[in-house]
Amino acid sequence: MGDHDTVRVRLRAALRADDPWTALYLLNTDRPGPLAGAVEELYRSDTDRTAFRPYLTWLLRSLGEPGDAVLLRLLAAPGLAADDRQDLLRAAVVRGLRLPAELLHTYAQDAPASSGGNAGTGGSPAPELVDAMGLSGDPSFAPRLGALLEDPAAPRGRAALALGRLGARAWTAPIAGRLSEVTGLDHTAFTVALELMGDPAAVPHLLRWLAESSEERVYDVHHALVRLTGRDPLLPERASGATYAAAVRAAWADGRTERTPAVVRDLAVESGARATFSVDEGAGRIRVAFDPPSPGSSWPRWDRCLTFDRKPLYRVGSLCDTCELVLTLLDWPDDEAARIAARMRGRLADLDRLDTELLSEWSPVLAELETGHYRALLLDLPLEQVAEPARSWWYRRAAARAEADGDDGERPECDRPEDYWPGVAHFQLTAPVPGGRVPFTYGAFLPSQPPEALDPAAVARHAAAVAAGERPAAVVLGWIDDRYVEALHEERWLVGAILDGHHRLAAYAAAGVPARVLLLARVGEGSGADGGLEGLAEVAAAYGCRE
């Protein structure tokens, strides 16, 4: 039996399994090319397509470039049935594929319409076709997309996002001018579309609408103003509801949109191990920011990334508190990140307490952070360096949940450690934080430079200093992340990115000595304020540096 025949037989067996989704997940995809070819062959068979279409299109989405090539060939096939075209088009949109404009113009004449009308008679095209137009890069679609903004029965939010992806700035004012007509996710989509457009012409419209908008729409408008102007005014800590809306309106009431120099203020040292400060008009070079909306998603703001100078470093995932926290390495920052953090290094060689003078000295570095209210904690953390997925808390937490539930059964075969792995060796707490309200509080610090680039000689120097009783400190930008996974399991994470001190942490982990860490954590709006403060207090109580 040839290679192609073997792949086809295995694919058919997976499709006919009692649990096809798990069987397909376990199917060897190390050679996606042959598998993509087998999927295409089955899809072109009327019998197989009818029986297995949802599984086949899912597989094509998961096979990378070979799957993309098959999608493009299938979509270009003449005589494609409407249901097949719709499924394939949805898969192509999820993959972010740029389809030929001629193909989309053809589809626009006879593709399945949304409930608002019939595409062939000038009604609303189906949402996936609207998304594909926005991904096409072809400005000729802008007038048709713009016309959808006026139709309440059309997918108006998706049309606005499509215009934003096209960068069709002629539609900036029409989108901004209709903010008062849309609510809920459509309102969010309209403001995100303006952010994608990047057009300063939207700012006057946003300022006027901010003064008139209802309380629940203020966040979207404020977020768009910050993105479009670069100005990021400090709001009261933990403001919410009417208080938050009033604070946002007051911050923009004078119409000023020019960015002013960042200021670190309200420095207060509570003890040698705890301090607070605020950053007003922060440069935001290091921040957790929303990703551009995923094509095909109904949520305009969902996934987030830890970014440096807007370059994504780690995917952080959504704010959904019933979803699992997952961090994934995307890229390494430029060398400038290390240079900024190194400006704190002189006082970190043997840090044993926090004081106002020290934080004032570091103000130029702290001003590079995002606007907000911060806690600075000096901690002694029992850390280990983990390089194997099965040893990481990202995977082991699921076993802890099963034990808590009294489930001693084996893990499903498809539940693989590498599927939870953040993609890089990192440091983690050797055990969950003791004494917390949440049963499991895990801790993980991820690097901002490749672990393999660490200098063994530098690690040895820090190890000698630690052995001599010194306590060189690492600096971590971190936060508390609270989850109620699947509405069944309370789970809390202390997570962070190492700004400076990779060699120091490696030395501590090798020596088995608690690592001295200066944790900088933003609290308040958008940071899980209540759980964040509680979690930080529990971490400080367990691991705070003793004076």
Side-chain angles (χ1 to χ4, degrees):
M1 183 179 290
D3 182 69
H4 174 74
D5 292 335
T6 301
V7 172
R8 184 176 54 191
V9 168
R10 294 180 62 199
L11 174 57
R12 284 189 180 280
L15 290 167
R16 290 185 168 91
D18 291 337
D19 181 359
W21 294 114
T22 299
L24 291 171
Y25 183 82
L26 293 172
L27 191 63
N28 183 3
T29 57
D30 291 339
R31 296 150 64 210
L35 184 55
V39 172
E40 180 175 9
E41 183 178 324
L42 266 62
Y43 203 96
R44 291 184 184 275
S45 159
D46 291 340
T47 301
D48 290 326
R49 184 175 65 253
T50 301
F52 304 126
R53 184 173 60 196
Y55 305 112
L56 296 175
T57 51
W58 176 84
L59 260 178
L60 290 176
R61 293 203 310 266
S62 67
L63 291 175
E65 291 183 5
D68 295 344
V70 172
L71 281 169
L72 292 173
R73 286 196 296 270
L74 292 174
L75 281 164
L80 197 63
D83 288 347
D84 295 327
R85 178 186 298 171
Q86 191 167 33
D87 274 4
L88 292 170
L89 193 56
R90 285 172 180 164
V93 165
V94 170
R95 290 290 299 159
L97 298 183
R98 177 177 288 193
L99 299 177
E102 299 80 7
L103 187 67
L104 295 179
H105 280 297
T106 299
Y107 283 0
Q109 300 304 313
D110 57 3
S114 70
S115 59
N118 183 276
T121 60
S124 302
E128 60 273 4
L129 183 55
V130 172
D131 294 334
M133 290 176 180
L135 291 169
S136 70
D138 190 326
S140 69
F141 289 112
R144 177 158 191 168
L145 293 168
L148 298 179
L149 301 177
E150 303 177 6
D151 182 2
R156 292 199 287 180
R158 294 173 99 133
L161 290 173
L163 289 165
R165 292 189 178 102
L166 289 173
R169 289 190 171 187
W171 293 92
T172 294
I175 291 172
R178 288 180 171 83
L179 284 170
S180 61
E181 302 173 10
V182 289
T183 59
L185 290 177
D186 276 348
H187 185 270
T188 302
F190 273 46
T191 55
V192 172
L194 295 174
E195 295 173 15
L196 293 174
M197 209 80 81
D199 188 354
V203 172
H205 296 275
L206 289 167
L207 289 172
R208 284 195 296 273
W209 175 231
L210 179 64
E212 305 168 3
S213 62
S214 56
E215 178 183 306
E216 66 275 9
R217 303 183 195 182
V218 165
Y219 174 83
D220 285 332
V221 182
H222 173 62
H223 193 281
L225 284 169
V226 171
R227 288 295 300 269
L228 292 173
T229 67
R231 182 176 173 236
D232 195 357
L234 182 67
L235 303 174
E237 183 176 326
R238 303 176 67 191
S240 62
T243 302
Y244 171 81
V248 170
R249 292 191 179 103
W252 297 95
D254 59 3
R256 180 170 59 87
T257 57
E258 300 81 11
R259 182 174 172 180
T260 58
V263 177
V264 178
R265 59 179 55 179
D266 304 325
L267 290 169
V269 175
E270 300 174 0
S271 71
R274 296 188 302 277
T276 63
F277 64 92
S278 299
V279 180
D280 192 3
E281 299 282 8
R285 300 185 68 181
I286 308 166
R287 69 190 306 163
V288 174
F290 281 107
D291 295 346
S294 298
S297 171
S298 58
W299 296 91
R301 301 194 202 276
W302 187 254
D303 283 327
R304 302 165 299 151
C305 281
L306 177 67
T307 65
F308 182 85
D309 283 344
R310 296 201 175 190
K311 178 181 182 180
L313 308 183
Y314 285 95
R315 180 173 290 112
V316 178
S318 74
L319 286 170
C320 171
D321 61 1
T322 60
C323 298
E324 210 158 29
L325 174 66
V326 178
L327 265 68
T328 308
L329 175 67
L330 299 174
D331 204 349
W332 299 112
D334 300 327
D335 291 341
E336 178 65 11
R339 286 193 288 271
I340 289 174
R343 287 151 61 185
M344 303 174 73
R345 196 168 292 165
R347 294 289 298 275
L348 295 172
D350 190 16
L351 185 62
D352 61 359
R353 63 176 290 107
L354 300 177
D355 56 56
T356 304
E357 180 183 354
L358 177 68
L359 293 171
S360 297
E361 179 184 324
W362 285 342
S363 287
V365 178
L366 301 179
E368 303 284 4
L369 300 175
E370 181 181 6
T371 290
H373 304 276
Y374 288 81
R375 301 294 186 268
L377 303 178
L378 191 59
L379 306 168
D380 287 327
L381 297 173
L383 297 179
E384 60 182 353
Q385 191 166 15
V386 58
E388 299 174 8
R391 289 186 54 227
S392 173
W393 285 120
W394 300 106
Y395 178 68
R396 291 165 58 192
R397 62 181 172 182
R401 290 181 203 145
E403 183 178 349
D405 290 343
D407 181 7
D408 296 327
E410 295 183 359
R411 302 285 289 275
E413 189 178 358
C414 63
D415 197 16
R416 304 179 300 182
E418 56 268 29
D419 295 329
Y420 295 82
W421 183 243
V424 64
H426 54 276
F427 298 93
Q428 66 181 20
L429 291 176
T430 56
V433 178
R437 178 186 62 81
V438 175
F440 297 105
T441 298
Y442 305 106
F445 295 155
L446 284 84
S448 60
Q449 60 180 258
E452 60 270 18
L454 295 185
D455 179 4
V459 175
R461 286 196 302 272
H462 288 299
V466 170
E470 297 180 13
R471 291 295 177 264
V475 182
V476 173
L477 177 65
W479 65 94
I480 294 289
D481 191 294
D482 274 352
R483 303 278 165 154
Y484 190 31
V485 180
E486 298 177 349
L488 295 172
H489 304 279
E490 279 194 283
E491 188 173 281
R492 176 173 286 166
W493 283 84
L494 167 64
V495 288
I498 304 164
L499 301 184
D500 188 59
H502 296 78
H503 294 88
R504 280 159 263 170
L505 293 180
Y508 280 119
V513 175
R516 184 67 50 88
V517 172
L518 174 59
L519 178 73
L520 306 175
R522 183 173 179 264
V523 299
E525 181 230 342
S527 298
D530 295 333
L533 290 172
E534 179 187 72
L536 289 173
E538 292 173 354
V539 168
Y543 303 120
C545 179
R546 308 303 176 192
E547 298 182 51

